[in-house]
Amino acid sequence: MKRILTNLNTFSRGHRSLTTYKPLRPLTNHPRTKNLHTTASNLQSANATKDHHDTPPNPQMAFPCLDALETRTSNLLNNSTPVKKFSNTSGPEPSYTSGPHETFHSTTPLHLDWGGTLPTYTIAYETWGTLNPTASNAILLHTGLSASSHAHSTPSNPSPGWWEKFIGPGKALDTNKYFVICTNVIGGCYGSTGPSSVDPSSTTTTTGNTTKGEPYATKFPIVTLEDMVRAQFTLLDHLGIQKLFASVGSSMGGMQSLAAGVLYPERVGRIVSISGCARSHPYSIAMRFVQRQVLMSDPNWSRGHYYSSIPPHIGMKLAREIATVTYRSGPEWEQRFSRLRADPTKPPALCPDFKIETYLDHAGEKWCLEYDANSLLYISKAMDLFDLSEDVQREARGRREGYALRRRGGGDNATAEEGGSCTLTLPDEAYTEQEEPSSSSSSSQTEPQTPAPTSHRSPPRDLISGLSPLKNHKVLVIGVASDILFPAWQQKEIVDALRGGGNDDVKHVELGEDVSLFGHDTFLLDTVNVGGVVGEFLRD
């Protein structure tokens, strides 16, 4: 586990009452804590010296949620632990924790779509079931954004995995039949090479012994989901698996599952994509952008170089709260929380007050020190960049191959710009709204055209061509009507693009709100309507 998580391993998952923190003595001489707890303390001290007749009619409001954040900052500065540990006792969400796993280390450089390179890299993975003598029963299970390789319990790590109820004898991924492999993606923080891994260029060697260097941090190159898939297939080579029986994934994993078939059509049998897309769309890009902006605005993020100091736990908590809003659905929350307040006997507060607010607060609390902030930034950006359209894939291939050639020709003299150095600048002028749609016509007066609803549009020809390598594959696409992050029309776009390219063996299942109210997270929870369909598809 990375340094940030190793130093903080006493933080376990779960909900913490905001009133159970015992404030630590403020570190008044430390630049980051000299103002902690001062406002409330000064007010309480001043009020204590007054006669009770002088008590103001409108006393200062208390902010236990901010006190909790300040206390955690003090604890981290003191290298101490919270008074009360987490306990994962509320909510149906599965655990994303990691633990003992297998590793594959490649010394062959991985050249990336946007020009960078990983001279060496490690992939963390776990397996279930038995690989048959012909190595023809392997299923590669792709993860969502924040998951580890621990999809199911193992003898070395008996804690339940994030798809525990979907894997095992007689289940969707039947381990009596299949050999299931799950990896932590490149860019992650659960054992695979990512921003918190040691940058090989920072290591020094003395008398034959290698001294540990500095983490990559934000020197880590931009990666794509396709880069992650290519790394996974080097693991398959290592395991002696020439062709997968199936590629299976949900959310970001559903995107990777499609990419695996597009990149290696001859090495993939069947494809399952659940609550994914064939290209990222503006709404999901916007939501991930806002999460990154909140995280990067935390002063403790320090432009990614926080591994020897305080992690950006406040930015991470807020980013996760935003994400959670997109993972679940309004209908489910209406039933689960309604307008109930956590304690209706107390006056309203600006801190978590309604039950839905305490749920979001809990979601942020249990995650803010468990996952590496830089991994969140890099992997979410990889999701934004995802587009299986033919032109996009051709351009990426050209950049990658061109850089590889220059590296071979120039060795270590290849320039930073060739390696993907960022030259981005903000636009000089702010974006301005367009009152009328742009038109290639020179006509001076045209009636504004109302665009067709997104769900009714045919997929662009470029996307149809990009998915054409899957023309002869059996494909299962599952969508959920209550999903607001990857709406059901995005899965319909996958289906239409595949069928438009001549694939007549596509099965499309859309779960209506009468079946599932869990929104995007349905793929983690519904063993019947998701797991049952997947199991049947693999058996047919």
Side-chain angles (χ1 to χ4, degrees):
M1 192 62 63
K2 304 300 180 267
R3 184 182 305 176
I4 172 179
L5 300 174
T6 301
N7 292 340
L8 304 172
N9 59 7
T10 55
F11 286 85
S12 57
R13 303 173 60 85
H15 183 50
R16 154 191 357 215
S17 170
L18 295 178
T19 61
T20 58
Y21 290 91
K22 297 179 182 178
L24 300 179
R25 179 174 55 85
L27 305 178
T28 54
N29 294 326
H30 195 288
R32 287 184 176 169
T33 58
K34 62 181 179 181
N35 294 322
L36 297 182
H37 307 291
T38 56
T39 302
S41 299
N42 290 343
L43 285 168
Q44 292 172 0
S45 177
N47 288 337
T49 62
K50 291 183 180 182
D51 186 87
H52 69 278
H53 295 294
D54 296 330
T55 301
N58 300 308
Q60 170 65 39
M61 183 178 290
F63 294 96
C65 53
L66 300 185
D67 293 341
L69 297 178
E70 293 171 352
T71 298
R72 180 158 59 227
T73 298
S74 294
N75 282 327
L76 293 171
L77 283 170
N78 279 333
N79 197 28
S80 59
T81 59
V83 173
K84 185 174 182 179
K85 295 181 180 181
F86 294 134
S87 58
N88 190 19
T89 58
S90 65
E93 296 81 359
S95 171
Y96 281 82
T97 55
S98 184
H101 53 258
E102 299 180 76
T103 58
F104 163 66
H105 183 71
S106 174
T107 57
T108 302
L110 181 66
H111 299 296
L112 308 172
D113 280 342
W114 281 98
T117 189
L118 295 176
T120 64
Y121 59 93
T122 297
I123 298 177
Y125 70 99
E126 295 176 50
T127 65
W128 305 268
T130 303
L131 188 64
N132 63 21
T134 58
S136 59
N137 67 331
I139 292 178
L140 179 59
L141 176 61
H142 306 271
T143 73
L145 185 156
S146 55
S148 69
S149 60
H150 193 59
H152 189 272
S153 53
T154 63
S156 60
N157 184 3
S159 61
W162 57 268
W163 238 33
E164 184 76 18
K165 296 180 179 179
F166 293 77
I167 302 172
K171 297 182 181 180
L173 303 189
D174 190 344
T175 51
N176 286 336
K177 296 181 178 180
Y178 311 119
F179 178 65
V180 182
I181 309 161
C182 184
T183 80
N184 181 220
V185 297
I186 291 293
C189 58
Y190 289 132
S192 293
T193 297
S196 55
S197 303
V198 173
D199 179 1
S201 67
S202 71
T203 60
T204 58
T205 302
T206 56
T207 63
N209 295 321
T210 301
T211 303
K212 189 174 182 179
E214 295 298 318
Y216 276 106
T218 43
K219 292 186 292 182
F220 194 74
I222 289 290
V223 293
T224 65
L225 300 191
E226 293 90 332
D227 292 327
M228 299 173 188
V229 169
R230 278 188 288 272
Q232 290 173 326
F233 272 76
T234 64
L235 168 64
L236 297 182
D237 293 338
H238 169 71
L239 297 175
I241 299 170
Q242 180 57 34
K243 184 174 182 178
L244 292 169
F245 177 79
S247 173
V248 178
S250 307
S251 187
M252 185 183 85
M255 301 155 78
Q256 289 179 281
S257 188
L258 288 173
V262 168
L263 295 176
Y264 301 98
E266 74 288 350
R267 297 190 64 180
V268 178
R270 306 182 186 200
I271 294 171
V272 177
S273 180
I274 308 167
S275 296
C277 63
R279 52 179 181 150
S280 287
H281 290 270
Y283 174 78
S284 57
I285 292 173
M287 295 308 299
R288 288 188 288 265
F289 166 75
V290 172
Q291 294 170 50
R292 289 195 298 270
Q293 289 289 288
V294 166
L295 172 52
M296 292 163 63
S297 296
D298 186 328
N300 288 322
W301 181 61
S302 302
R303 304 201 175 205
H305 297 273
Y306 53 80
Y307 292 106
S308 60
S309 58
I310 300 176
H313 63 96
I314 296 176
M316 282 290 280
K317 177 178 178 179
L318 296 176
R320 187 62 169 187
E321 290 178 2
I322 295 170
T324 303
V325 172
T326 71
Y327 294 158
R328 307 309 280 260
S329 75
E332 179 215 352
W333 286 354
E334 190 69 34
Q335 292 186 9
R336 188 172 171 187
F337 304 112
S338 186
R339 287 182 43 79
L340 296 176
R341 294 179 58 217
D343 189 348
T345 66
K346 295 182 179 179
L350 296 180
C351 281
D353 182 16
F354 284 90
K355 284 196 172 182
I356 181 60
E357 295 174 327
T358 63
Y359 169 73
L360 293 176
D361 183 76
H362 161 56
E365 280 288 315
K366 71 176 185 178
W367 201 69
C368 66
L369 292 173
E370 182 178 288
Y371 197 75
D372 181 48
N374 284 335
S375 284
L376 173 61
L377 296 175
Y378 276 85
I379 296 177
S380 71
K381 188 64 179 182
M383 294 178 71
D384 292 352
L385 294 170
F386 184 69
D387 189 343
L388 289 177
S389 299
E390 185 177 44
D391 285 348
V392 173
Q393 295 300 307
R394 183 187 304 112
E395 291 169 3
R397 185 166 55 251
R399 285 191 302 268
R400 188 176 65 254
E401 293 175 352
Y403 178 59
L405 286 173
R406 289 191 292 274
R407 289 284 297 184
R408 286 195 291 269
D412 293 334
N413 295 323
T415 65
E417 185 173 355
E418 289 173 338
S421 177
C422 181
T423 58
L424 177 69
T425 58
L426 296 177
D428 294 331
E429 298 181 2
Y431 173 79
T432 55
E433 295 289 346
Q434 298 180 7
E435 295 184 2
E436 296 184 1
S438 59
S439 173
S440 58
S441 171
S442 60
S443 174
S444 58
Q445 296 291 331
T446 58
E447 290 294 327
Q449 299 295 314
T450 302
T454 305
S455 57
H456 294 164
R457 295 177 188 169
S458 298
R461 177 54 55 182
D462 193 34
L463 184 61
I464 294 174
S465 298
L467 293 179
S468 62
L470 304 180
K471 179 179 179 179
N472 298 315
H473 289 68
K474 293 189 67 170
V475 182
L476 170 64
V477 179
I478 301 178
V480 180
S482 58
D483 189 344
I484 63 173
L485 184 60
F486 288 79
W489 64 261
Q490 294 186 10
Q491 291 84 58
K492 184 66 163 56
E493 181 179 69
I494 298 172
V495 173
D496 290 346
L498 289 170
R499 290 174 177 167
N503 190 329
D504 296 325
D505 205 355
V506 181
K507 181 176 182 180
H508 179 213
V509 176
E510 182 176 317
L511 305 180
E513 290 188 5
D514 59 324
V515 173
S516 176
L517 297 180
F518 289 118
H520 186 62
D521 274 0
T522 296
F523 75 87
L524 292 170
L525 307 169
D526 196 333
T527 57
V528 176
N529 296 296
V530 173
V533 172
V534 171
E536 181 182 355
F537 172 79
L538 295 176
R539 287 192 299 269
D540 287 346

